[in-house]
């Protein structure tokens, strides 16, 4: 059976929420108390991660959700998805047919929140700063295709790209391309601590305890000029150490909404036994989870070991036992709601089959059981991650082909260790920078990739990824992405596990909840207001 069309693309899910929250706006809470939103995202300044909110360093969904409220980019993705539209810019577009030259014009009267005027030189400084600092943890790969940046007066700016890239407008709509003030940010050094300044819709004040941010207060920026319409004057993002305390705060009325990460049992309970005055809202989701491999580590250097793992992992059981009704099996790096997806891993390996795995290992001359340690983060994706890895451990050990141990580490140490190549096998999640197949391929397989993986396939890196970016009509790149997925299924530098849904829970007097998180898991706090239930 060919699983290329196992799950039909549901593009409508990218355009509209599944369930809209009730309530009508009465002005969006202006002039009243802050709307308080809970999250389990942790923001900690450490030796390994000294600048959690510096655009040259920050490259995870939680930090970007803080930056999106505070800094401004030339472009932004509109509330319902689709192609980016101007924000700090008044207009942007390619000036050639090869998608190699991209020109923007700034809005008139742009100012940073402290009143300093923004010019094209500030944009140039900000993006060249990310490239110059070139932090190994940061989002520099999103901008690395920029060859030169040219300014034309105070408002004109042109990006000359090294190679054609039709996805470039999406990349400069991310916080990687945030416009920052050279008076606040040094050109060649990260800004340590939990501060962030820009020209975005809000200003930011943080409250910390022992280096950990426990509260981020966003106050409407009166100098903001852009495409967004704010429905409130103030929002407070409160960080909780666990989902149980976050849910209790919602039930007690201490917070008005809780977002990532809700656990499966909470979603089930809130759905089947909804508390009075609280709504559970399901939203389109593009999150994926996967196992990554250090392909130079002796334990998994042989492709046969990775292929054997791909042959026996039972994604269906994993999703049903750990994430019931909130996840579905994933057989490709590219999720099934993104054009270009095909179920490449199912096509190659089929249903879980220990006999097939044994044959792969035997043919490669590999003795069994193969000893492995699966590493996971204890606090970045929620407490249920431990159960996920316990299930994987049980599945693999049951085959007698593997002898698997598991080890959990807090995110602030886990991510740094993973980047340094200290883990042979590790579990990670991915929330896309933008909803295009390119962003599920290049960050894992391209040069300067997110994982810092030693794996490099010349056909993928030098031919297929550049070829896919030439297509202004993204559907024209489908065959190229299908070939990439086939290569990944054969080489197994990563092993896709599941694709998740998104949920938030909110008190029913809060409006705009259905727009507060988009399909890429970006928080859009400006959409929240207070209204009538």
């Amino acid at each position: 059976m060919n699983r290329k069309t196992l799950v039909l693309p549901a593009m409508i899910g990218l355009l509209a929420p599944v369930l809209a929250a009730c309530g009508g706006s009465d002005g969006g809470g202006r002039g009243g108390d802050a709307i308080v939103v809970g999250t389990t995202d942790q923001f900690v300044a450490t030796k390994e991660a000294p600048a959690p909110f510096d655009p040259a360093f920050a490259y995870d969904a939680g930090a970007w959700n803080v930056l999106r409220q505070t800094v401004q980019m030339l472009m932004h993705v509109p509330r319902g998805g689709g192609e980016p539209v101007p924000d700090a810019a008044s207009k942007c577009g390619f000036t050639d047919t090869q998608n190699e030259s991209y020109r923007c014009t700034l809005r008139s009267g742009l100012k940073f929140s402290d009143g300093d005027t923004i010019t094209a030189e500030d944009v140039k400084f900000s993006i060249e700063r990310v490239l110059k600092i070139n932090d190994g943890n940061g989002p520099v790969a999103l901008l690395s295709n920029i060859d030169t940046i040219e300014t034309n007066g105070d408002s004109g700016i042109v990006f000359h790209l090294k190679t054609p890239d039709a996805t470039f407008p999406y990349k400069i709509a991310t916080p990687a391309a945030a416009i920052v003030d050279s008076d606040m940010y040094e050109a060649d050094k990260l800004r340590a601590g939990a501060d962030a300044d820009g020209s975005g819709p809000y200003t930011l004040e943080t409250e910390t305890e022992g280096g950990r941010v426990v509260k981020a207060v966003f106050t409407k920026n009166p100098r903001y000029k852009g495409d967004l319409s704010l429905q409130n004057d103030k929002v407070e993002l409160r960080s909780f150490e666990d989902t149980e305390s976050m849910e209790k705060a919602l039930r007690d009325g201490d917070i008005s909404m809780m977002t990532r990460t809700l656990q499966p049992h909470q979603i089930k309970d809130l759905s089947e036994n909804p508390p009075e005055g609280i709504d559970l809202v399901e939203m389109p989701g593009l999150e994926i989870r996967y196992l990554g491999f250090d392909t130079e580590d002796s334990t998994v250097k042989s492709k046969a070991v990775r292929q054997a793992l791909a042959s026996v992992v039972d994604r269906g059981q994993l999703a049903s036992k750990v994430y019931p009704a909130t996840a579905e099996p994933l057989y490709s790096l590219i999720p099934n709601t993104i054009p270009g997806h095909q179920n490449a891993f199912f096509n190659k390996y089929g249903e879980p089959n220990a006999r097939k795995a044994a044959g792969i290992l035997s043919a490669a001359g590999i003795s069994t059981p193969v000893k492995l340690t699966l590493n996971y983060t204890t606090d970045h994706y929620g407490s249920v991650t431990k159960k996920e890895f316990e299930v994987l451990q049980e599945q693999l050990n049951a085959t007698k082909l593997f002898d698997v141990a598991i080890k959990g580490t807090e995110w602030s140490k886990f991510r740094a260790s993973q980047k340094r190549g200290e883990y042979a096998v590790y579990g990670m999640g991915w929330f896309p920078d933008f909803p295009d197949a390119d962003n599920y391929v290049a960050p894992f397989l391209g040069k300067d990739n997110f994982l810092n993986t030693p794996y490099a396939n010349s056909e993928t890196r030098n031919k297929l990824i550049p070829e896919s970016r030439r297509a202004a009509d993204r559907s024209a790149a489908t065959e190229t992405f299908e070939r990439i997925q086939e290569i990944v299924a054969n080489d197994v530098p990563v092993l896709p596990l599941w694709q998740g849904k998104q949920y938030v829970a909110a008190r029913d007097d809060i409006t705009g909840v259905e727009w507060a998180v988009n399909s890429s898991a970006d928080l859009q706090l400006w959409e929240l207001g207070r209204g009538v239930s």
Side-chain angles (χ1 to χ4, degrees):
M1 175 182 178
N2 188 300
R3 292 289 282 263
K4 182 175 176 181
T5 56
L6 179 70
V7 182
L8 293 176
M11 289 307 295
I12 187 66
L14 299 180
L15 302 177
V18 176
L19 175 66
C22 59
S25 176
D26 69 347
R30 292 190 175 91
D33 295 335
I35 296 173
V36 184
V37 176
T39 179
T40 56
D41 285 328
Q42 302 294 309
F43 313 111
V44 186
T46 65
K47 182 178 179 181
E48 293 84 3
F53 299 143
D54 189 319
F57 178 86
Y59 197 18
D60 66 81
W64 272 19
N65 280 337
V66 171
L67 286 174
R68 287 184 189 278
Q69 321 309 312
T70 313
V71 297
Q72 191 175 20
M73 284 70 73
L74 291 168
M75 306 284 281
H76 82 102
V77 175
R79 55 150 54 168
E83 295 183 2
V85 297
D87 188 25
S90 61
K91 60 181 179 180
C92 286
F94 284 104
T95 61
D96 65 330
T97 57
Q98 299 299 313
N99 297 329
E100 287 184 308
S101 182
Y102 195 77
R103 182 186 299 271
C104 291
T105 302
L106 293 179
R107 290 179 186 266
S108 62
L110 279 181
K111 294 181 183 296
F112 289 111
S113 60
D114 65 359
D116 287 352
T117 298
I118 297 174
T119 70
E121 285 295 331
D122 292 299
V123 179
K124 185 175 188 288
F125 165 82
S126 300
I127 293 178
E128 287 183 344
R129 176 178 181 270
V130 175
L131 294 169
K132 184 175 184 178
I133 291 175
N134 193 23
D135 189 88
N137 185 79
V140 64
L142 289 171
L143 306 176
S144 61
N145 192 36
I146 296 173
D147 187 16
T148 59
I149 303 174
E150 173 190 350
T151 59
N152 183 8
D154 286 341
S155 62
I157 187 160
V158 183
F159 299 94
H160 300 286
L161 307 182
K162 298 173 185 175
T163 59
D165 186 2
T167 71
F168 186 70
Y170 285 100
K171 293 172 181 175
I172 61 169
T174 72
I179 305 169
V180 298
D181 191 339
S182 58
D183 290 340
M184 300 282 191
Y185 294 81
E186 295 184 45
D188 57 359
K189 184 180 178 181
L190 293 173
R191 182 180 179 180
D195 294 321
D197 293 277
S199 57
Y202 299 98
T203 59
L204 171 68
E205 291 185 9
T206 58
E207 181 180 314
T208 62
E209 293 180 1
R212 185 176 77 90
V213 176
V214 295
K215 185 187 298 184
V217 179
F218 302 102
T219 303
K220 183 178 179 180
N221 175 12
R223 293 190 171 97
Y224 168 72
K225 282 192 174 184
D227 190 57
L228 304 176
S229 177
L230 278 66
Q231 302 303 309
N232 59 70
D233 290 334
K234 184 178 289 188
V235 181
E236 176 185 310
L237 186 66
R238 192 177 299 175
S239 179
F240 290 85
E241 293 188 358
D242 57 75
T243 56
E244 286 71 22
S245 58
M246 181 170 64
E247 182 181 348
K248 183 179 185 301
L250 180 69
R251 290 176 180 267
D252 291 347
D254 295 332
I255 65 175
S256 295
M257 187 177 94
M258 65 176 185
T259 179
R260 50 171 288 175
T261 307
L262 279 70
Q263 301 303 318
H265 70 274
Q266 292 176 302
I267 294 167
K268 182 175 185 294
D269 184 52
L270 290 169
S271 176
E272 296 177 354
N273 306 291
E276 184 177 353
I278 294 176
D279 295 326
L280 179 70
V281 184
E282 179 186 333
M283 298 173 171
L286 295 174
E287 172 192 8
I288 67 169
R289 298 285 179 89
Y290 59 92
L291 293 179
F293 300 98
D294 179 351
T295 54
E296 290 299 312
D297 189 282
S298 58
T299 56
V300 293
K301 187 171 185 177
S302 171
K303 181 168 63 177
V305 174
R306 307 193 302 270
Q307 289 179 330
L309 287 166
S311 297
V312 295
V313 166
D314 189 336
R315 297 168 176 82
Q317 183 197 59
L318 183 68
S320 63
K321 288 185 70 171
V322 185
Y323 302 100
T326 65
E328 59 184 28
L330 181 64
Y331 297 93
S332 168
L333 267 178
I334 301 173
N336 62 55
T337 45
I338 294 291
H341 163 86
Q342 70 165 337
N343 289 289
F345 275 81
F346 191 91
N347 294 344
K348 183 169 180 63
Y349 301 102
E351 298 288 355
N353 190 322
R355 181 175 297 178
K356 176 184 288 188
I360 293 171
L361 293 171
S362 177
I366 295 173
S367 301
T368 57
V370 178
K371 297 191 72 170
L372 296 172
T373 298
L374 307 187
N375 292 273
Y376 66 94
T377 174
T378 56
D379 59 345
H380 194 61
Y381 304 115
S383 58
V384 77
T385 306
K386 180 180 179 181
K387 182 178 179 182
E388 176 180 351
F389 277 76
E390 288 173 344
V391 171
L392 285 170
Q393 180 186 36
E394 291 172 3
Q395 288 182 1
L396 296 174
N397 287 345
T399 67
K400 308 299 183 183
L401 300 173
F402 297 95
D403 180 5
V404 171
I406 60 174
K407 181 181 179 181
T409 306
E410 63 186 57
W411 177 253
S412 61
K413 297 178 180 178
F414 175 89
R415 175 64 172 141
S417 295
Q418 181 272 313
K419 291 278 286 188
R420 288 194 295 264
E422 295 177 11
Y423 302 144
V425 190
Y426 50 88
M428 295 276 280
W430 181 250
F431 298 85
D433 306 321
F434 52 90
D436 186 276
D438 177 85
N439 198 237
Y440 290 91
V441 170
F444 304 97
L445 309 174
K447 186 181 178 182
D448 301 320
N449 60 78
F450 167 74
L451 296 177
N452 197 32
T453 176
Y455 170 80
N457 179 280
S458 59
E459 181 184 0
T460 296
R461 183 172 292 183
N462 301 327
K463 177 178 181 290
L464 297 175
I465 291 177
E467 181 179 291
S468 72
R469 290 173 173 171
R470 294 190 185 99
D473 177 1
R474 302 306 290 150
S475 63
T478 296
E479 289 188 10
T480 304
F481 285 122
E482 288 175 352
R483 173 58 185 153
I484 292 173
Q485 290 167 93
E486 290 169 357
I487 292 172
V488 172
N490 182 69
D491 292 355
V492 201
V494 292
L495 179 58
L497 297 173
W498 55 266
Q499 174 181 349
K501 299 177 182 178
Q502 289 190 113
Y503 292 86
V504 302
R507 304 200 68 83
D508 62 8
D509 65 335
I510 299 300
T511 62
V513 174
E514 67 272 28
W515 299 113
V517 184
N518 69 14
S519 62
S520 297
D522 302 334
L523 268 182
Q524 301 176 141
L525 296 179
W526 52 84
E527 298 284 358
L528 298 176
R530 285 196 174 92
V532 179
S533 173

PDB file of all heavy atoms in Angstrom, residues 450-462:
ATOM      1  N   PHE A 450      19.756  23.705  11.977  1.00  0.00           N
ATOM      2  CA  PHE A 450      19.289  23.891  13.355  1.00  0.00           C
ATOM      3  C   PHE A 450      19.866  22.852  14.305  1.00  0.00           C
ATOM      4  O   PHE A 450      20.145  23.133  15.470  1.00  0.00           O
ATOM      5  CB  PHE A 450      17.758  23.834  13.336  1.00  0.00           C
ATOM      6  CG  PHE A 450      17.100  23.706  14.681  1.00  0.00           C
ATOM      7  CD1 PHE A 450      17.048  24.790  15.546  1.00  0.00           C
ATOM      8  CD2 PHE A 450      16.514  22.513  15.075  1.00  0.00           C
ATOM      9  CE1 PHE A 450      16.427  24.671  16.783  1.00  0.00           C
ATOM     10  CE2 PHE A 450      15.894  22.393  16.309  1.00  0.00           C
ATOM     11  CZ  PHE A 450      15.849  23.490  17.159  1.00  0.00           C
ATOM     12  N   LEU A 451      20.038  21.619  13.837  1.00  0.00           N
ATOM     13  CA  LEU A 451      20.493  20.532  14.693  1.00  0.00           C
ATOM     14  C   LEU A 451      22.015  20.464  14.813  1.00  0.00           C
ATOM     15  O   LEU A 451      22.524  19.704  15.639  1.00  0.00           O
ATOM     16  CB  LEU A 451      19.967  19.187  14.170  1.00  0.00           C
ATOM     17  CG  LEU A 451      18.456  19.000  14.179  1.00  0.00           C
ATOM     18  CD1 LEU A 451      18.081  17.660  13.564  1.00  0.00           C
ATOM     19  CD2 LEU A 451      17.905  19.097  15.597  1.00  0.00           C
ATOM     20  N   ASN A 452      22.722  21.209  13.985  1.00  0.00           N
ATOM     21  CA  ASN A 452      24.175  21.098  13.918  1.00  0.00           C
ATOM     22  C   ASN A 452      24.591  19.659  13.625  1.00  0.00           C
ATOM     23  O   ASN A 452      25.589  19.153  14.144  1.00  0.00           O
ATOM     24  CB  ASN A 452      24.828  21.582  15.220  1.00  0.00           C
ATOM     25  CG  ASN A 452      26.308  21.875  15.050  1.00  0.00           C
ATOM     26  OD1 ASN A 452      26.747  22.286  13.980  1.00  0.00           O
ATOM     27  ND2 ASN A 452      27.084  21.646  16.097  1.00  0.00           N
ATOM     28  N   THR A 453      23.823  18.994  12.793  1.00  0.00           N
ATOM     29  CA  THR A 453      24.064  17.587  12.499  1.00  0.00           C
ATOM     30  C   THR A 453      25.231  17.417  11.529  1.00  0.00           C
ATOM     31  O   THR A 453      25.409  18.229  10.615  1.00  0.00           O
ATOM     32  CB  THR A 453      22.806  16.930  11.887  1.00  0.00           C
ATOM     33  OG1 THR A 453      23.103  15.570  11.514  1.00  0.00           O
ATOM     34  CG2 THR A 453      22.347  17.657  10.640  1.00  0.00           C
ATOM     35  N   PRO A 454      26.016  16.364  11.704  1.00  0.00           N
ATOM     36  CA  PRO A 454      27.093  16.099  10.745  1.00  0.00           C
ATOM     37  C   PRO A 454      26.593  15.476   9.448  1.00  0.00           C
ATOM     38  O   PRO A 454      27.339  15.395   8.472  1.00  0.00           O
ATOM     39  CB  PRO A 454      27.993  15.112  11.506  1.00  0.00           C
ATOM     40  CG  PRO A 454      27.079  14.429  12.468  1.00  0.00           C
ATOM     41  CD  PRO A 454      26.071  15.466  12.871  1.00  0.00           C
ATOM     42  N   TYR A 455      25.330  15.058   9.438  1.00  0.00           N
ATOM     43  CA  TYR A 455      24.770  14.435   8.232  1.00  0.00           C
ATOM     44  C   TYR A 455      24.696  15.454   7.104  1.00  0.00           C
ATOM     45  O   TYR A 455      24.211  16.576   7.279  1.00  0.00           O
ATOM     46  CB  TYR A 455      23.376  13.881   8.515  1.00  0.00           C
ATOM     47  CG  TYR A 455      22.630  13.436   7.270  1.00  0.00           C
ATOM     48  CD1 TYR A 455      22.897  12.205   6.684  1.00  0.00           C
ATOM     49  CD2 TYR A 455      21.675  14.263   6.681  1.00  0.00           C
ATOM     50  CE1 TYR A 455      22.219  11.798   5.543  1.00  0.00           C
ATOM     51  CE2 TYR A 455      21.000  13.868   5.533  1.00  0.00           C
ATOM     52  CZ  TYR A 455      21.275  12.633   4.971  1.00  0.00           C
ATOM     53  OH  TYR A 455      20.605  12.240   3.831  1.00  0.00           O
ATOM     54  N   ALA A 456      25.159  15.063   5.925  1.00  0.00           N
ATOM     55  CA  ALA A 456      25.075  15.934   4.746  1.00  0.00           C
ATOM     56  C   ALA A 456      24.894  15.073   3.510  1.00  0.00           C
ATOM     57  O   ALA A 456      25.738  14.233   3.199  1.00  0.00           O
ATOM     58  CB  ALA A 456      26.322  16.794   4.620  1.00  0.00           C
ATOM     59  N   ASN A 457      23.787  15.263   2.817  1.00  0.00           N
ATOM     60  CA  ASN A 457      23.539  14.583   1.554  1.00  0.00           C
ATOM     61  C   ASN A 457      23.708  15.608   0.437  1.00  0.00           C
ATOM     62  O   ASN A 457      22.999  16.613   0.395  1.00  0.00           O
ATOM     63  CB  ASN A 457      22.127  13.981   1.534  1.00  0.00           C
ATOM     64  CG  ASN A 457      21.801  13.282   0.237  1.00  0.00           C
ATOM     65  OD1 ASN A 457      21.454  13.929  -0.751  1.00  0.00           O
ATOM     66  ND2 ASN A 457      21.928  11.968   0.235  1.00  0.00           N
ATOM     67  N   SER A 458      24.651  15.387  -0.452  1.00  0.00           N
ATOM     68  CA  SER A 458      24.990  16.401  -1.456  1.00  0.00           C
ATOM     69  C   SER A 458      23.831  16.664  -2.412  1.00  0.00           C
ATOM     70  O   SER A 458      23.623  17.810  -2.831  1.00  0.00           O
ATOM     71  CB  SER A 458      26.232  15.979  -2.231  1.00  0.00           C
ATOM     72  OG  SER A 458      26.039  14.729  -2.874  1.00  0.00           O
ATOM     73  N   GLU A 459      23.085  15.629  -2.773  1.00  0.00           N
ATOM     74  CA  GLU A 459      21.951  15.847  -3.684  1.00  0.00           C
ATOM     75  C   GLU A 459      20.911  16.751  -3.032  1.00  0.00           C
ATOM     76  O   GLU A 459      20.397  17.686  -3.658  1.00  0.00           O
ATOM     77  CB  GLU A 459      21.311  14.507  -4.083  1.00  0.00           C
ATOM     78  CG  GLU A 459      20.144  14.685  -5.057  1.00  0.00           C
ATOM     79  CD  GLU A 459      19.423  13.388  -5.388  1.00  0.00           C
ATOM     80  OE1 GLU A 459      19.828  12.320  -4.862  1.00  0.00           O
ATOM     81  OE2 GLU A 459      18.440  13.440  -6.167  1.00  0.00           O
ATOM     82  N   THR A 460      20.601  16.480  -1.780  1.00  0.00           N
ATOM     83  CA  THR A 460      19.614  17.291  -1.071  1.00  0.00           C
ATOM     84  C   THR A 460      20.109  18.716  -0.876  1.00  0.00           C
ATOM     85  O   THR A 460      19.415  19.688  -1.198  1.00  0.00           O
ATOM     86  CB  THR A 460      19.304  16.664   0.298  1.00  0.00           C
ATOM     87  OG1 THR A 460      18.693  15.395   0.105  1.00  0.00           O
ATOM     88  CG2 THR A 460      18.360  17.547   1.089  1.00  0.00           C
ATOM     89  N   ARG A 461      21.338  18.844  -0.362  1.00  0.00           N
ATOM     90  CA  ARG A 461      21.849  20.153   0.046  1.00  0.00           C
ATOM     91  C   ARG A 461      22.210  21.039  -1.147  1.00  0.00           C
ATOM     92  O   ARG A 461      21.905  22.236  -1.146  1.00  0.00           O
ATOM     93  CB  ARG A 461      23.062  19.961   0.957  1.00  0.00           C
ATOM     94  CG  ARG A 461      23.633  21.248   1.505  1.00  0.00           C
ATOM     95  CD  ARG A 461      24.696  20.975   2.551  1.00  0.00           C
ATOM     96  NE  ARG A 461      24.141  20.399   3.764  1.00  0.00           N
ATOM     97  CZ  ARG A 461      24.852  20.124   4.855  1.00  0.00           C
ATOM     98  NH1 ARG A 461      26.157  20.391   4.872  1.00  0.00           N
ATOM     99  NH2 ARG A 461      24.280  19.614   5.928  1.00  0.00           N
ATOM    100  N   ASN A 462      22.837  20.471  -2.151  1.00  0.00           N
ATOM    101  CA  ASN A 462      23.387  21.273  -3.250  1.00  0.00           C
ATOM    102  C   ASN A 462      22.479  21.375  -4.461  1.00  0.00           C
ATOM    103  O   ASN A 462      22.620  22.299  -5.264  1.00  0.00           O
ATOM    104  CB  ASN A 462      24.736  20.706  -3.682  1.00  0.00           C
ATOM    105  CG  ASN A 462      25.743  20.674  -2.548  1.00  0.00           C
ATOM    106  OD1 ASN A 462      25.735  21.544  -1.679  1.00  0.00           O
ATOM    107  ND2 ASN A 462      26.592  19.657  -2.526  1.00  0.00           N
TER     108      ASN A 462
END
